[in-house]
Every structure is written in structure tokens, then in C-alpha cells.
């Protein structure tokens, strides 16, 4: 067995629990070896989606079966559409029928959709069972697998039902990214670079020179993913329930969520694409408010263009969105507190702050400019 020569991990230390996020190349193939320290059960349910199952379910299961684990496979359709309560109920009934018990383990194998859904199920079945996550998209490795937010969507919006469920461990197998479509890699990159923009100027300038390590699956890919993950981990540790500073992770997301909701999550725009568009709009906002300089804004646009991230709101404007409609979508977001929208305003590169006081006229002018240019 080729176990990772150098075990690479970061640790999330919370008040009552802590866990490690491992980064390396052979976790899926040698899953039994890696999980054995975390569980005493011999029954494991793997929750995954069709695309991921086709590529990795045999690999992960082979290792478990060879090591005498009993394995239950739960394979869902792929995509955001399965992240709902009816999937939760179906999966739970399926697990109970297969006599999945209180001390058994759930493994999530897939992107953020599976991580959010499997983690949520693990938090409620039998009032909570052990959960280990094997994220297989870049977005899930740098973002959604870290911090314990789980949940499903409702017709009123994304992630409105959920829980905090910290896993026992996360195994980010970077080898799995070799099969990920380039569009999905770019979408995940938006969240990776977001962490640099809110907290770490050095990472941003490193990425400007080295972003290709992600797309070439270079050995430094682990360095980039780990570096970005560390920033998310730090913010989660400071504020696990998002009462304050964790919200910085929402840079670009007030714009992004409104864009996604207007496009009805139909695949026209991926979440990560809405995020890169949203980050640029947040920088425009910051520039108009005098918190970022023109050359900083230009540097970010240049980097996003180099990488080929989504930048152009107009390109996605198939429903004749205008600034009033977008603003209205922001106001209707169920996360809006007492009618106040929260914006993350970057301050140049590597710093940002949270504001509930951005004037609607500024937001409208940012959107109008983006749609006109
Ligand atoms: N919990 C959090 O803190 C948090 C943070 C950010 C995003 N999210 C959630 O994450 C979700 C988005 O995650 P995502 O972008 O990973 O989407 P996803 O899970 O839908 O995965 C994207 C696509 O890639 C496929 N796929 C997965 N791994 C693959 C691989 N290795 N090779 C080839 N194809 C593969 C999937 O089947 C899917 O079709 C959203 O629901 C979002 O709300 C949660
Ligand atoms: Zn996001």
C-alpha cells in the first residue's frame, strides 16, 4: 500500500471537539487503513452521487470490504437538485431498512452537495452518528468540508434547513481532482482565491504566480489547497456558529446568492462562478466606497482573467436581470436580518470587513455598471 509518505493535515480545534483534515493522494484507495483509528464499527454506509460513484465507489469500497467492513451503498442522482428533505427521508429510510445502527459510520464521498447532505443525515439519524468525509471536488476540499455546516435547500432558498455537524475526520484526496471537469475546478478555485482575498495577501500573490499547480495537478496542489483551507479553518475556529467574523467567508456571496436565485439553480451558473462574479462586484463596491484602489481592483480582474474564472455578469443575464431585480432578490434572501443586507467589503488585498450599511444606490450603480460595460 502506498500510504502518504508525509502525512499532511491541519487540525480544527473547537471548544468541545477537534478533528483533522488530511490532504494527500491515496486516501480513497486505502480508506480502510485511514479510517480505522476513528471508528470501532464494522458497518459503514457510503453516501455518494452517480458521477462520483462511477469513478470512485469501487475504489473506496474495495479497501473497506478487503478489511472486513460491511458496506452499504447509497447512490443519489448528481447535482444540487438532490439537496432537499425528500432525499434526506429516502436515504434515512433506506439506512434504517438496512439496519444501520447508532454506532455505525456514515462516509460522504463526493462534492459539496454530498458532503452537506450526508453530514446532515449523520447529524439527525439516531440523533447523530459518526461521520467521515471524503470530499472529491476542489470546492468541497477547500471550502464545504471544513467547518461543519451541513444542510439542504428548501423552496424558499438554499441551505435553510441544516445543522452543525463536525466530522471525525476529512480525507481530501487530491488525486480525485484529476477527473473533475475544468469548469468545476474553476468554480472551486473561486472559493480558494476568496480565502486569500479576505485574509492572506501572500497567498494571493503566490497564486498569481502558481495558479497552474491546481490545473496541472502539480505536486504543489496540496500546498495550495492546504494553505487556503487553513484560512477557512482559522475563521471557523474563531467563530464556529457564524455570529461574527466567520461571515467574512461570504465575500462576494450576497451578490452571488441573488444571481443564483434569479437563475433558479438550473446549471446556467455554478455556485463558484456566481462567487467569482460576486467577488468582482464586491471589489467594485469597495472601490466606490474608497476601501480598495483601482490598481488592486485591476490586479484581481487580471488574475481572474488569467485563470479563466467567470467574471462577466452580462454573460449570465438570460432573464433580463437589472439592478432593481437583483436588489430585490437580495432583499428577499431569507438570510437577511431585520431587512439589513450583509456585505463583505474587501479592503485592498488580504483584508475585509463586514457591513450592514451599504447604501442601495451604491449596489445598484455597481450592478448597472457591470451590466452595461
Ligand atoms: N457546508 C459548507 O460550508 C458549504 C460551503 C460551500 C458550498 N457548500 C455547498 O456545496 C455545494 C457545491 O459543491 P460542489 O461544487 O462540490 O458541487 P457538487 O457536489 O454538485 O459536485 C459538482 C459535480 O462534480 C461531480 N463530481 C464530484 N466529484 C467528482 C470527481 N472527483 N470527478 C468528476 N466529477 C466529480 C458531482 O457529481 C457533480 O456533478 C452547494 O450545495 C453549496 O451550497 C457548502
Ligand atoms: Zn461559496
Amino acid at each position: 500500500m502506498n500510504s502518504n509518505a508525509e502525512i499532511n493535515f491541519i487540525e480544527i480545534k473547537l471548544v468541545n471537539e477537534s478533528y483533522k483534515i488530511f490532504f494527500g493522494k491515496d486516501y480513497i484507495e486505502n480508506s480502510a487503513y485511514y479510517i480505522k483509528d476513528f471508528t470501532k464499527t464494522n458497518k459503514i454506509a457510503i453516501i455518494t452521487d452517480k458521477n462520483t460513484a462511477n469513478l470512485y465507489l469501487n475504489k473506496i469500497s474495495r479497501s473497506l470490504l478487503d478489511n472486513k467492513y460491511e458496506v452499504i451503498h447509497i447512490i443519489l442522482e448528481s447535482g444540487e437538485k438532490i439537496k432537499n428533505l425528500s432525499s434526506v427521508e429516502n436515504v434515512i429510510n433506506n439506512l434504517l431498512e438496512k439496519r444501520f445502527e447508532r454506532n455505525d459510520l456514515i462516509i460522504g464521498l463526493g462534492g459539496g452537495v454530498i458532503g452537506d447532505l450526508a453530514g446532515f443525515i449523520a447529524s439527525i439519524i439516531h440523533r447523530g452518528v459518526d461521520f467521515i468525509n471524503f470530499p472529491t471536488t476542489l470546492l468541497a476540499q477547500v471550502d464545504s468540508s471544513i467547518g461543519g455546516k451541513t444542510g439542504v435547500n428548501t423552496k424558499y432558498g438554499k441551505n435553510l434547513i441544516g445543522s452543525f455537524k463536525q466530522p471525525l475526520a476529512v480525507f481530501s484526496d487530491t488525486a480525485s481532482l484529476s477527473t473533475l471537469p475544468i469548469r468545476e475546478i474553476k468554480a472551486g478555485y473561486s472559493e480558494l482565491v476568496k480565502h486569500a482575498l479576505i485574509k492572506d495577501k501572500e497567498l494571493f500573490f503566490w497564486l498569481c504566480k502558481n495558479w497552474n499547480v491546481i490545473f496541472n495537478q502539480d505536486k504543489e496542489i496540496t500546498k495550495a489547497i492546504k494553505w487556503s483551507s487553513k484560512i477557512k479553518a482559522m475563521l471557523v475556529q474563531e467563530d464556529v456558529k457564524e455570529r461574527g467574523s466567520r461571515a467574512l467567508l461570504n465575500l462576494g456571496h450576497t451578490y452571488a446568492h441573488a444571481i443564483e436565485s434569479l437563475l433558479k439553480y438550473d446549471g446556467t451558473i455554478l455556485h463558484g462562478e456566481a462567487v467569482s462574479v460576486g467577488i468582482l462586484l464586491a471589489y467594485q463596491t469597495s472601490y466606490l466606497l474608497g476601501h480598495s484602489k483601482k490598481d488592486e481592483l485591476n490586479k484581481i480582474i487580471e488574475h481572474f482573467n488569467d485563470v479563466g474564472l467567470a467574471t462577466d455578469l452580462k454573460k449570465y443575464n438570460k432573464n433580463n436581470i437589472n439592478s432593481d431585480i437583483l436588489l430585490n432578490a437580495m432583499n428577499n434572501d431569507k438570510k437577511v436580518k431585520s431587512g439589513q443586507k450583509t456585505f463583505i467589503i474587501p479592503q485592498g488585498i488580504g483584508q475585509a470587513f463586514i457591513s450592514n450599511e451599504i447604501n442601495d444606490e451604491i449596489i445598484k450603480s455597481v450592478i448597472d455598471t457591470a451590466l452595461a460595460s
Side-chain angles (χ1 to χ4, degrees), residues 110-229:
V113 165
I114 286 297
D116 281 12
L117 188 72
F120 182 54
I121 290 166
S123 78
I124 56 174
I125 187 168
H126 300 305
R127 296 206 175 82
V129 299
D130 288 344
F131 176 56
I132 292 183
N133 201 2
F134 284 73
T136 60
T137 64
L138 182 61
L139 186 139
Q141 295 187 355
V142 299
D143 194 349
S144 61
S145 67
I146 307 166
K149 277 192 188 174
T150 76
V152 294
N153 305 327
T154 74
K155 67 176 181 181
Y156 296 103
K158 265 175 77 104
N159 303 328
L160 294 178
I161 298 175
S163 64
F164 284 93
K165 169 75 180 173
Q166 306 298 341
L168 295 179
V170 177
F171 292 99
S172 277
D173 191 328
T174 53
S176 68
L177 302 180
S178 65
T179 53
L180 196 62
I182 191 85
R183 185 177 172 200
E184 296 287 351
I185 299 256
K186 286 181 183 172
Y189 187 91
S190 305
E191 304 279 15
L192 188 155
V193 71
K194 175 195 76 182
H195 295 153
L197 295 172
I198 55 182
K199 272 282 172 202
D200 196 330
K201 195 172 184 165
E202 194 189 336
L203 173 58
F204 178 74
F205 285 101
W206 186 88
L207 286 169
C208 287
K209 284 205 192 101
N210 298 290
W211 58 270
N212 246 317
V213 304
I214 307 272
F215 294 82
N216 295 341
Q217 315 276 318
D218 185 284
K219 67 174 176 3
E220 294 239 287
I221 189 175
T222 309
K223 174 175 173 175
I225 292 175
K226 185 175 165 192
W227 193 344
S228 177
S229 300

